[in-house]
Amino acid sequence: MDTESASRRHGKIFGIDLGGWLVKVNHYFDSFGFMVLFLTGLTILYLLAYLGHPVLPGNDLSAPIGWWGWWDQGQYLKCTAALAAGQLTPDTYWYPLGYPLIGALFYRWAPQHAFLIPNLACVLGSAFLFYKISRRLVSPLEAILLILVFIGSYPGLLQMTLVEPWNTTPTLFLSYLIIFLVGFRQPSPRRILAAFVCISLIFVCRTGDAFCMAAVPAIALLGLTRWKTRVFVGAAGIAIVGAFVLIILFVNHAVFGAWRTPYDRLHEEMGVASYSVPSKIFGLLIDGNTIFREPEAALVRHFPWAIFVLPGVVYLLLRYRTRALGVILSVLATYGLYFLYNDFWPSTVYRYHGVHYLLWTIPLMVLATYFSVTKAWKYKIGRWTYLSVPLLLFPVFFVYLRERTIGSLPNTLPVVIGGQVGAQPVDWIFFEGSYACPDLVAAGRRLIRKSDFEDSLRPDGTIILLSTKLRYSPLQVDPGALSGLRQIKYGNLHWTVRWKRPKEIIN
């Protein structure tokens, strides 16, 4: 069976049998009436969060257009308005069309709030689907408590990722629908094909996320009993996704005269994995203070319970095998994609709300962490995986990444940094007192933001982090046009292991 028997789950919470009264409570939480009440309560909370959002259009007289003044949201609205008018031009087509198409359905009635109804529907649908997914693994009361604890613990996160318009809101719903269809259960050909349709719809909203989620129906194919059926359903699924891809390609060509949009080419130019992977993961997970001065951006500070997630993941694999494998691979693919993405840094995770890329994974990690506490210890391999906790805690408390200054230079003259024979590698350049980035040239080529370097504003100036391929290259810098520049510093990043915490970086 996929799960424990219904009678056992209904009489237990946190693995403890509490008798018949709990069965009645669980039956009530599983009822249609309670679900209506629960979703009604979520609707009220959502509307209050929406109307009270400080950047809601009209709530701040100093910025009356609200979040439509932001880059992403402004592009969504521009495309939505064009689609609602039956038009699509190179000036209005930037992000993928899926999300603006949804907003276009409501634009005529509420131009400033075209995404309110579809976003609310996606949020309610996601909550309902997550409850149904959780019900395959835990009792109704446990599922509801996990959802309520998550909502109560992260209202700010939910407001910045679900109330504000983002094209990850429909992909959240579609991702949970895919898991509901084929995750943690015996798959059927019809449900797998429906999951491939969802993959296609995610592709229309966010191309990269579709590739991450494709692992779920792909692994579900292994659950079909006959190889002939697997091949047929797999080929049909590829055909479904391929049809959507072709439609988008032809739309692109009709609008731009090319198969790829400027947005696609920009992301190709940005690239992935141009920087030191260990130092980037360390900054995103543990300490965003180095280079970026974002001490609150580190994900461990917001989700410390995730230190305990591995035993729960192993438990799910041991108990559900391939029925859990696809979900786990999709979560790992999502973190792999965005952690390697050259536009995802400690300076963007919370400052620019980039955490919305990861939102769909977080409730699932909460569920896995819950199993680390309640279930994983019942398995021998599960007990061994608890060793991962001190191994993960060690870098949190004892490993540090710090900036080491190699030298400083004048503030006006053109200079060449690095590249000398026998010189130390250069990882960063800091323009103290200036809040702009000069042109950088290496080997006669002007360097490209994101793929060659990442620049970020700090309280004391502008920092530039160089890609790994440029660490030993001579860089030509002309700071003459930078106002307020006091001096140029440059150096590298230095790993240390200390039992006593070093002095905090405060500038």
Short mmCIF file of all heavy atoms in Angstrom, two decimals, residues 407-415 417 428-440 457-458 460-464 477-490:
data_model
loop_
_atom_site.label_atom_id
_atom_site.label_comp_id
_atom_site.label_asym_id
_atom_site.label_seq_id
_atom_site.Cartn_x
_atom_site.Cartn_y
_atom_site.Cartn_z
N GLY A 407 45.49 44.68 -2.24
CA GLY A 407 46.05 46.00 -2.46
C GLY A 407 44.97 47.04 -2.70
O GLY A 407 43.78 46.74 -2.77
N SER A 408 45.40 48.30 -2.78
CA SER A 408 44.51 49.41 -3.07
C SER A 408 45.15 50.30 -4.12
O SER A 408 46.38 50.32 -4.29
CB SER A 408 44.19 50.21 -1.81
OG SER A 408 45.38 50.75 -1.26
N LEU A 409 44.31 51.06 -4.85
CA LEU A 409 44.78 51.85 -5.98
C LEU A 409 44.15 53.24 -5.95
O LEU A 409 43.16 53.48 -5.24
CB LEU A 409 44.40 51.14 -7.29
CG LEU A 409 45.07 49.78 -7.53
CD1 LEU A 409 44.37 49.05 -8.64
CD2 LEU A 409 46.55 49.97 -7.85
N PRO A 410 44.70 54.19 -6.75
CA PRO A 410 44.13 55.54 -6.78
C PRO A 410 42.68 55.54 -7.27
O PRO A 410 42.20 54.57 -7.85
CB PRO A 410 45.05 56.29 -7.76
CG PRO A 410 46.30 55.49 -7.80
CD PRO A 410 45.91 54.08 -7.57
N ASN A 411 42.03 56.68 -7.06
CA ASN A 411 40.60 56.73 -7.34
C ASN A 411 40.23 57.34 -8.68
O ASN A 411 39.05 57.45 -9.01
CB ASN A 411 39.88 57.50 -6.23
CG ASN A 411 40.34 58.95 -6.15
OD1 ASN A 411 41.37 59.30 -6.71
ND2 ASN A 411 39.58 59.78 -5.46
N THR A 412 41.18 57.76 -9.49
CA THR A 412 40.83 58.43 -10.75
C THR A 412 41.55 57.89 -11.97
O THR A 412 41.02 57.90 -13.07
CB THR A 412 41.13 59.94 -10.66
OG1 THR A 412 42.51 60.13 -10.32
CG2 THR A 412 40.24 60.60 -9.61
N LEU A 413 42.77 57.41 -11.82
CA LEU A 413 43.57 57.02 -12.97
C LEU A 413 43.16 55.64 -13.49
O LEU A 413 42.83 54.75 -12.69
CB LEU A 413 45.06 57.01 -12.61
CG LEU A 413 45.65 58.36 -12.17
CD1 LEU A 413 47.10 58.17 -11.76
CD2 LEU A 413 45.54 59.39 -13.28
N PRO A 414 43.20 55.42 -14.80
CA PRO A 414 43.00 54.07 -15.32
C PRO A 414 44.05 53.12 -14.74
O PRO A 414 45.24 53.47 -14.68
CB PRO A 414 43.16 54.24 -16.83
CG PRO A 414 42.86 55.68 -17.08
CD PRO A 414 43.38 56.41 -15.86
N VAL A 415 43.64 51.94 -14.34
CA VAL A 415 44.55 51.00 -13.70
C VAL A 415 44.34 49.61 -14.29
O VAL A 415 43.32 49.32 -14.92
CB VAL A 415 44.33 50.95 -12.17
CG1 VAL A 415 44.69 52.27 -11.53
CG2 VAL A 415 42.88 50.58 -11.85
N ILE A 417 44.37 45.68 -12.91
CA ILE A 417 44.32 44.90 -11.68
C ILE A 417 44.57 43.44 -12.02
O ILE A 417 43.90 42.86 -12.89
CB ILE A 417 42.96 45.06 -10.98
CG1 ILE A 417 42.75 46.52 -10.58
CG2 ILE A 417 42.85 44.14 -9.78
CD1 ILE A 417 41.39 46.80 -9.99
N TRP A 428 37.63 39.81 -6.14
CA TRP A 428 36.71 40.93 -6.00
C TRP A 428 37.44 42.26 -6.15
O TRP A 428 38.64 42.36 -5.90
CB TRP A 428 35.99 40.87 -4.65
CG TRP A 428 36.92 40.84 -3.46
CD1 TRP A 428 37.39 39.72 -2.84
CD2 TRP A 428 37.50 41.95 -2.77
NE1 TRP A 428 38.23 40.06 -1.80
CE2 TRP A 428 38.31 41.43 -1.73
CE3 TRP A 428 37.43 43.33 -2.92
CZ2 TRP A 428 39.03 42.25 -0.86
CZ3 TRP A 428 38.15 44.15 -2.05
CH2 TRP A 428 38.92 43.60 -1.03
N ILE A 429 36.68 43.25 -6.59
CA ILE A 429 37.16 44.64 -6.67
C ILE A 429 36.11 45.52 -6.01
O ILE A 429 34.91 45.37 -6.29
CB ILE A 429 37.38 45.08 -8.13
CG1 ILE A 429 38.28 44.10 -8.87
CG2 ILE A 429 37.95 46.49 -8.19
CD1 ILE A 429 38.36 44.36 -10.38
N PHE A 430 36.56 46.41 -5.15
CA PHE A 430 35.63 47.25 -4.39
C PHE A 430 35.89 48.72 -4.69
O PHE A 430 37.02 49.20 -4.59
CB PHE A 430 35.79 46.98 -2.89
CG PHE A 430 34.91 47.84 -2.04
CD1 PHE A 430 33.55 47.89 -2.25
CD2 PHE A 430 35.46 48.61 -1.03
CE1 PHE A 430 32.73 48.69 -1.46
CE2 PHE A 430 34.65 49.41 -0.23
CZ PHE A 430 33.29 49.45 -0.45
N PHE A 431 34.84 49.44 -5.07
CA PHE A 431 34.91 50.87 -5.35
C PHE A 431 34.30 51.62 -4.17
O PHE A 431 33.08 51.82 -4.10
CB PHE A 431 34.18 51.19 -6.66
CG PHE A 431 34.76 50.46 -7.84
CD1 PHE A 431 34.24 49.25 -8.24
CD2 PHE A 431 35.84 50.99 -8.51
CE1 PHE A 431 34.78 48.56 -9.32
CE2 PHE A 431 36.41 50.32 -9.60
CZ PHE A 431 35.87 49.10 -10.00
N GLU A 432 35.16 51.98 -3.25
CA GLU A 432 34.71 52.57 -1.99
C GLU A 432 34.13 53.97 -2.22
O GLU A 432 34.78 54.84 -2.83
CB GLU A 432 35.87 52.65 -1.00
CG GLU A 432 35.47 53.15 0.36
CD GLU A 432 36.63 53.18 1.34
OE1 GLU A 432 37.70 52.58 1.01
OE2 GLU A 432 36.49 53.79 2.41
N GLY A 433 32.93 54.20 -1.73
CA GLY A 433 32.29 55.50 -1.81
C GLY A 433 31.52 55.76 -3.09
O GLY A 433 30.82 56.77 -3.19
N SER A 434 31.61 54.88 -4.06
CA SER A 434 30.91 55.07 -5.33
C SER A 434 29.80 54.02 -5.47
O SER A 434 29.99 52.86 -5.09
CB SER A 434 31.87 54.96 -6.51
OG SER A 434 31.18 55.10 -7.73
N TYR A 435 28.69 54.44 -6.03
CA TYR A 435 27.55 53.54 -6.18
C TYR A 435 27.21 53.34 -7.65
O TYR A 435 26.07 53.45 -8.09
CB TYR A 435 26.35 54.09 -5.39
CG TYR A 435 26.68 54.20 -3.92
CD1 TYR A 435 27.16 55.39 -3.39
CD2 TYR A 435 26.59 53.10 -3.09
CE1 TYR A 435 27.50 55.49 -2.05
CE2 TYR A 435 26.94 53.18 -1.75
CZ TYR A 435 27.40 54.37 -1.24
OH TYR A 435 27.74 54.45 0.09
N ALA A 436 28.24 53.03 -8.41
CA ALA A 436 28.11 52.71 -9.82
C ALA A 436 29.25 51.78 -10.21
O ALA A 436 30.25 51.68 -9.50
CB ALA A 436 28.14 53.98 -10.69
N CYS A 437 29.09 51.11 -11.33
CA CYS A 437 30.10 50.14 -11.78
C CYS A 437 30.74 50.65 -13.06
O CYS A 437 30.04 50.96 -14.03
CB CYS A 437 29.45 48.78 -12.02
SG CYS A 437 30.59 47.53 -12.63
N PRO A 438 32.06 50.77 -13.11
CA PRO A 438 32.72 51.21 -14.35
C PRO A 438 32.80 50.08 -15.36
O PRO A 438 32.54 48.92 -15.05
CB PRO A 438 34.11 51.59 -13.85
CG PRO A 438 34.36 50.64 -12.73
CD PRO A 438 33.03 50.46 -12.05
N ASP A 439 33.17 50.44 -16.58
CA ASP A 439 33.43 49.41 -17.58
C ASP A 439 34.68 48.64 -17.20
O ASP A 439 35.68 49.22 -16.75
CB ASP A 439 33.62 50.04 -18.96
CG ASP A 439 32.32 50.58 -19.52
OD1 ASP A 439 31.25 50.17 -19.02
OD2 ASP A 439 32.37 51.40 -20.45
N LEU A 440 34.64 47.33 -17.39
CA LEU A 440 35.78 46.46 -17.15
C LEU A 440 36.17 45.80 -18.46
O LEU A 440 35.30 45.34 -19.21
CB LEU A 440 35.44 45.39 -16.11
CG LEU A 440 34.93 45.89 -14.75
CD1 LEU A 440 34.53 44.71 -13.88
CD2 LEU A 440 35.99 46.72 -14.05
N LEU A 457 25.46 46.77 -4.85
CA LEU A 457 25.60 47.94 -4.01
C LEU A 457 25.68 47.52 -2.54
O LEU A 457 24.95 46.64 -2.10
CB LEU A 457 24.41 48.89 -4.20
CG LEU A 457 24.22 49.47 -5.61
CD1 LEU A 457 23.04 50.41 -5.62
CD2 LEU A 457 25.48 50.19 -6.07
N ARG A 458 26.60 48.16 -1.81
CA ARG A 458 26.73 47.97 -0.38
C ARG A 458 26.62 49.33 0.30
O ARG A 458 26.67 50.36 -0.37
CB ARG A 458 28.09 47.35 -0.04
CG ARG A 458 28.31 46.00 -0.63
CD ARG A 458 29.47 45.23 -0.06
NE ARG A 458 30.62 45.98 0.39
CZ ARG A 458 31.81 45.45 0.62
NH1 ARG A 458 32.00 44.16 0.41
NH2 ARG A 458 32.82 46.17 1.05
N ASP A 460 28.77 50.91 1.80
CA ASP A 460 30.01 51.69 1.68
C ASP A 460 30.51 51.80 0.25
O ASP A 460 31.60 52.31 0.02
CB ASP A 460 31.11 51.05 2.56
CG ASP A 460 31.27 49.56 2.29
OD1 ASP A 460 30.39 48.97 1.61
OD2 ASP A 460 32.25 48.97 2.75
N GLY A 461 29.76 51.33 -0.74
CA GLY A 461 30.21 51.45 -2.11
C GLY A 461 29.69 50.33 -2.99
O GLY A 461 28.67 49.70 -2.68
N THR A 462 30.41 50.04 -4.06
CA THR A 462 30.02 49.01 -5.01
C THR A 462 31.08 47.92 -5.03
O THR A 462 32.27 48.19 -5.17
CB THR A 462 29.86 49.59 -6.42
OG1 THR A 462 28.86 50.60 -6.41
CG2 THR A 462 29.47 48.51 -7.42
N ILE A 463 30.63 46.67 -4.90
CA ILE A 463 31.53 45.53 -4.93
C ILE A 463 31.33 44.77 -6.24
O ILE A 463 30.21 44.67 -6.74
CB ILE A 463 31.30 44.59 -3.72
CG1 ILE A 463 32.42 43.54 -3.62
CG2 ILE A 463 29.94 43.94 -3.78
CD1 ILE A 463 33.66 44.03 -3.00
N ILE A 464 32.41 44.26 -6.79
CA ILE A 464 32.36 43.44 -7.99
C ILE A 464 32.98 42.09 -7.67
O ILE A 464 34.12 42.02 -7.17
CB ILE A 464 33.10 44.11 -9.15
CG1 ILE A 464 32.29 45.30 -9.68
CG2 ILE A 464 33.36 43.12 -10.28
CD1 ILE A 464 33.01 46.07 -10.76
N VAL A 477 40.64 48.91 -15.72
CA VAL A 477 39.56 49.65 -15.05
C VAL A 477 39.83 51.14 -15.18
O VAL A 477 40.93 51.61 -14.87
CB VAL A 477 39.47 49.26 -13.55
CG1 VAL A 477 38.30 49.99 -12.89
CG2 VAL A 477 39.34 47.76 -13.39
N ASP A 478 38.82 51.88 -15.65
CA ASP A 478 38.93 53.33 -15.72
C ASP A 478 37.86 53.94 -14.81
O ASP A 478 36.70 54.06 -15.18
CB ASP A 478 38.73 53.82 -17.15
CG ASP A 478 38.96 55.33 -17.28
OD1 ASP A 478 39.20 55.97 -16.24
OD2 ASP A 478 38.88 55.85 -18.40
N PRO A 479 38.24 54.30 -13.59
CA PRO A 479 37.26 54.79 -12.61
C PRO A 479 36.99 56.29 -12.70
O PRO A 479 36.29 56.85 -11.86
CB PRO A 479 37.93 54.46 -11.29
CG PRO A 479 39.39 54.64 -11.57
CD PRO A 479 39.59 54.23 -13.01
N GLY A 480 37.51 56.95 -13.73
CA GLY A 480 37.42 58.41 -13.79
C GLY A 480 36.01 58.95 -13.76
O GLY A 480 35.76 60.04 -13.26
N ALA A 481 35.04 58.20 -14.31
CA ALA A 481 33.66 58.69 -14.39
C ALA A 481 32.86 58.42 -13.11
O ALA A 481 31.71 58.82 -13.02
CB ALA A 481 32.96 58.05 -15.58
N LEU A 482 33.45 57.75 -12.14
CA LEU A 482 32.71 57.39 -10.93
C LEU A 482 32.75 58.55 -9.93
O LEU A 482 33.81 58.97 -9.50
CB LEU A 482 33.31 56.14 -10.29
CG LEU A 482 33.28 54.85 -11.13
CD1 LEU A 482 33.86 53.70 -10.33
CD2 LEU A 482 31.86 54.53 -11.58
N SER A 483 31.59 59.04 -9.57
CA SER A 483 31.53 60.13 -8.59
C SER A 483 31.61 59.57 -7.18
O SER A 483 31.09 58.49 -6.89
CB SER A 483 30.22 60.91 -8.76
OG SER A 483 29.10 60.07 -8.53
N GLY A 484 32.27 60.31 -6.30
CA GLY A 484 32.36 59.93 -4.89
C GLY A 484 33.38 58.87 -4.59
O GLY A 484 33.53 58.48 -3.43
N LEU A 485 34.09 58.36 -5.60
CA LEU A 485 35.04 57.28 -5.37
C LEU A 485 36.22 57.76 -4.52
O LEU A 485 36.87 58.75 -4.84
CB LEU A 485 35.55 56.76 -6.72
CG LEU A 485 36.56 55.61 -6.66
CD1 LEU A 485 35.93 54.37 -6.06
CD2 LEU A 485 37.09 55.33 -8.07
N ARG A 486 36.49 57.03 -3.45
CA ARG A 486 37.61 57.36 -2.56
C ARG A 486 38.84 56.53 -2.88
O ARG A 486 39.95 57.04 -2.91
CB ARG A 486 37.19 57.18 -1.10
CG ARG A 486 36.12 58.18 -0.65
CD ARG A 486 35.94 58.15 0.85
NE ARG A 486 35.34 56.91 1.31
CZ ARG A 486 34.02 56.71 1.40
NH1 ARG A 486 33.18 57.68 1.03
NH2 ARG A 486 33.53 55.58 1.84
N GLN A 487 38.65 55.23 -3.08
CA GLN A 487 39.77 54.38 -3.45
C GLN A 487 39.24 53.07 -4.01
O GLN A 487 38.06 52.75 -3.86
CB GLN A 487 40.68 54.11 -2.25
CG GLN A 487 40.02 53.31 -1.14
CD GLN A 487 41.00 52.95 -0.03
OE1 GLN A 487 42.20 52.78 -0.26
NE2 GLN A 487 40.49 52.84 1.20
N ILE A 488 40.14 52.34 -4.67
CA ILE A 488 39.80 51.02 -5.21
C ILE A 488 40.57 49.99 -4.40
O ILE A 488 41.79 50.10 -4.24
CB ILE A 488 40.19 50.91 -6.69
CG1 ILE A 488 39.49 52.00 -7.51
CG2 ILE A 488 39.83 49.54 -7.23
CD1 ILE A 488 39.99 52.05 -8.94
N LYS A 489 39.86 49.01 -3.88
CA LYS A 489 40.50 47.89 -3.20
C LYS A 489 40.23 46.62 -4.02
O LYS A 489 39.21 46.52 -4.70
CB LYS A 489 39.95 47.71 -1.79
CG LYS A 489 40.25 48.85 -0.84
CD LYS A 489 39.66 48.56 0.54
CE LYS A 489 39.94 49.68 1.52
NZ LYS A 489 39.34 49.42 2.86
N TYR A 490 41.13 45.67 -3.90
CA TYR A 490 40.90 44.39 -4.56
C TYR A 490 41.54 43.29 -3.73
O TYR A 490 42.46 43.53 -2.94
CB TYR A 490 41.43 44.39 -6.00
CG TYR A 490 42.92 44.61 -6.11
CD1 TYR A 490 43.79 43.53 -6.23
CD2 TYR A 490 43.46 45.90 -6.11
CE1 TYR A 490 45.16 43.72 -6.34
CE2 TYR A 490 44.83 46.10 -6.23
CZ TYR A 490 45.67 45.01 -6.33
OH TYR A 490 47.02 45.19 -6.45
#
